[in-house]
Amino acid sequence: MAEPASGLERLGDDREDRAIPMVPVEKENAYQLREYLHRKMSERAHADPFKSSFLHFLGLSKDGTPSFDFATISLYQRCAIAGLGVLDEAVSSLDVSRLLGQAAKIDSTPRPWVSDMFGVMAVKWLTEQMNDARIAQEFENWISGFLAQQVSGDHLNLLEKDIAAYVRSSDSAVYTSACVPLFLHYRKIQRIDDHQIRLSLISRFMAEFRAQAQENASTALLSLMVYVFDQVNQDVAVVPPKGWSLDDLLGFLEHITVGLKRWTWEDAGRTRGAEPVKWLIENEYHVQNILYVLLAPIFNDIADEVNLQPVGQKNPRIDLYLPSLHTIIEVKYRKDVKKSFPTLIGEIAEDASLYRADTKYKDAQIVSFLWDCTRSTQEHAKFKEGVLKINGINGCVVISAPSTI
């Protein structure tokens, strides 16, 4: 029996239900916008088997597993929903072959899936799960009857064309949008291993998010956008600002000396009647404050004086912590030659072992930062070599205090 050609069977396309209004202008905050869109798409998806299943697949449904009579919905819907893997119900290979054997049109009327890239993508996943060469070939023959024509026409928007590109050639697809490659990355379908490329896509996606929200996008498309928004929000919480790595941090700290050339140390006031000013660095806390001032504009999650779990009678405390790099900066201050380099190495080793005793920081990176008032540059290389041999130390930076101090 032929499948109904009614537009009501379109799973992700739902052009006829694009009653989701344009977003009010006052929804300028991205998080408010996200909540608004999530509420609207949830309302629209509630009574639709595929849309409610797609929301559940993306982890956006608050209603738990969708409930409907799987046996009574169309063959296309059953195959697409089975491809999402959110229900226990299965579709037989015979039924899948029956769907893939159907033409794209009935009496010149397009079938529901012709303009429905989300449903077609789900059917693709189903055929891949079956791991059957015959089914795979049938799927290629099936999409060849409509996909290229849809992409070349004006029926699909930018994101839908990118989904079509993925469906046609997963490995070699070139994407125009940022949303689709990020979606595939977060679903672990096509990972984006290059950190800078991912950050660039995230930056572009935020503009897409607002732009799509102002259009009459389909429920499935908005679901995709909200899912990627949520994943990006989690991603940037753990991605270092501006894509910094540990090497970037070490390079930045090493070059602090360049700025110290302008360190204020006056023998006479610079303006009429002014007293001379000398910026004194007299202890470890002063050095800690300098680093905080320099790093806080870059790492807005920086924390200082972080108390850790007691270790016996010891109460360890972190000088500076960068959560986005999961990096501890241990600050040391050498006031004079009485504080020997061997003593400093011993202190750093002890501190590192105490930090590792706290389960939250056992895998954190540790950077040792020494401010050397004695400017014993001839000892610095050997000191750094020794510190870097300590288990758990990932970097060591030594700065000589300005010669004017």
Side-chain angles (χ1 to χ4, degrees):
M1 182 182 295
E3 291 292 321
S6 167
L8 295 176
E9 293 291 343
R10 290 175 180 158
L11 310 185
D13 184 31
D14 68 349
R15 281 173 166 75
E16 77 294 326
D17 87 342
R18 288 190 175 182
I20 296 180
M22 291 177 66
V23 179
V25 175
E26 65 269 16
K27 301 245 179 242
E28 294 180 353
N29 181 282
Y31 294 95
Q32 291 180 328
L33 181 57
R34 185 263 180 213
E35 290 304 308
Y36 174 83
L37 296 177
H38 183 267
R39 184 174 65 254
K40 287 297 181 182
M41 70 191 189
S42 296
E43 292 171 357
R44 295 295 173 184
H46 179 70
D48 185 282
F50 178 80
K51 292 167 196 167
S52 59
S53 297
F54 192 58
L55 256 65
H56 186 68
F57 167 73
L58 297 176
L60 299 174
S61 174
K62 298 179 181 179
D63 301 326
T65 305
S67 178
F68 51 86
D69 190 347
F70 188 77
T72 61
I73 60 178
S74 72
L75 174 60
Y76 173 46
Q77 283 186 313
R78 294 201 304 274
C79 289
I81 293 172
L84 298 177
V86 297
L87 302 178
D88 294 332
E89 284 83 352
V91 178
S92 69
S93 59
L94 184 63
D95 278 343
V96 174
S97 289
R98 189 158 64 89
L99 171 67
L100 301 180
Q102 294 179 0
K105 293 182 179 181
I106 298 178
D107 298 329
S108 74
T109 302
R111 291 294 191 104
W113 54 80
V114 168
S115 58
D116 177 20
M117 295 304 102
F118 291 92
V120 172
M121 177 170 61
V123 173
K124 172 186 175 71
W125 292 336
L126 175 63
T127 62
E128 290 175 345
Q129 294 163 20
M130 300 180 76
N131 196 27
D132 184 312
R134 178 182 58 82
I135 294 290
Q137 186 57 56
E138 289 176 356
F139 177 78
E140 292 299 322
N141 295 338
W142 184 62
I143 62 173
S144 68
F146 62 91
L147 208 56
Q149 182 179 1
Q150 288 296 108
V151 171
S152 62
D154 58 358
H155 301 289
L156 306 179
N157 64 27
L158 184 68
L159 273 68
E160 290 168 331
K161 287 185 177 182
D162 273 0
I163 293 174
Y166 160 70
V167 170
R168 293 175 71 186
S169 50
S170 305
D171 297 330
S172 59
V174 176
Y175 304 111
T176 305
S177 72
C179 181
V180 171
L182 284 172
F183 164 72
L184 297 173
H185 166 76
Y186 291 126
R187 294 302 308 182
K188 297 180 172 60
I189 296 171
Q190 290 181 351
R191 299 292 291 181
I192 304 171
D193 295 323
D194 190 302
H195 184 66
Q196 294 299 331
I197 290 177
R198 192 165 86 253
L199 287 177
S200 175
L201 287 171
I202 287 173
S203 178
R204 286 174 48 207
F205 166 75
M206 296 311 295
E208 290 180 4
F209 180 69
R210 289 185 177 279
Q212 284 295 330
Q214 295 297 332
E215 298 179 3
N216 291 325
S218 69
T219 303
L221 183 55
L222 287 180
S223 302
L224 194 74
M225 299 289 287
V226 171
Y227 168 79
V228 173
F229 177 86
D230 288 348
Q231 296 302 311
V232 163
N233 188 37
Q234 294 179 32
D235 203 1
V236 296
V238 297
V239 171
K242 304 186 190 315
W244 278 41
S245 66
L246 178 64
D247 288 340
D248 294 321
L249 174 65
L250 292 172
F252 177 81
L253 296 176
E254 291 278 7
H255 284 83
I256 286 177
T257 52
V258 176
L260 295 181
K261 294 176 181 179
R262 299 294 295 177
W263 194 262
T264 298
W265 195 266
E266 298 172 349
D267 293 320
R270 296 293 300 273
T271 57
R272 180 176 297 180
E275 293 293 325
V277 174
K278 290 180 169 64
W279 289 351
L280 296 173
I281 302 297
E282 298 182 306
N283 54 55
E284 198 172 281
Y285 295 104
H286 291 169
V287 179
Q288 197 171 308
N289 291 343
I290 292 172
L291 292 180
Y292 192 99
V293 168
L294 292 172
L295 292 171
I298 304 167
F299 297 89
N300 56 18
D301 57 354
I302 190 172
D304 63 332
E305 300 292 321
V306 180
N307 291 304
L308 306 187
Q309 296 175 356
V311 180
Q313 285 77 22
K314 281 279 190 179
N315 293 291
R317 185 170 60 188
I318 291 173
D319 294 329
L320 293 171
Y321 176 57
L322 306 176
S324 54
L325 273 181
H326 197 32
T327 298
I328 295 167
I329 301 178
E330 173 60 22
V331 178
K332 291 299 177 184
Y333 175 82
R334 189 175 192 237
K335 183 177 181 179
D336 50 42
V337 295
K338 293 179 182 179
K339 173 79 80 169
S340 69
F341 285 104
T343 299
L344 288 166
I345 292 174
E347 291 178 358
I348 293 168
E350 180 183 354
D351 291 337
S353 64
L354 291 172
Y355 299 155
R356 299 290 183 195
D358 190 307
T359 54
K360 182 178 178 180
Y361 300 96
K362 65 180 181 180
D363 59 345
Q365 302 176 111
I366 302 176
V367 173
S368 173
F369 184 94
L370 172 64
W371 181 279
D372 183 14
C373 289
T374 69
R375 294 182 290 280
S376 303
T377 55
Q378 73 279 5
E379 299 286 347
H380 290 174
K382 187 174 183 179
F383 171 75
K384 292 175 69 173
E385 180 184 350
V387 170
L388 291 173
K389 287 182 179 179
I390 298 172
N391 185 37
I393 296 294
N394 304 92
C396 180
V397 176
V398 182
I399 298 296
S400 290
S403 58
T404 50
I405 295 180

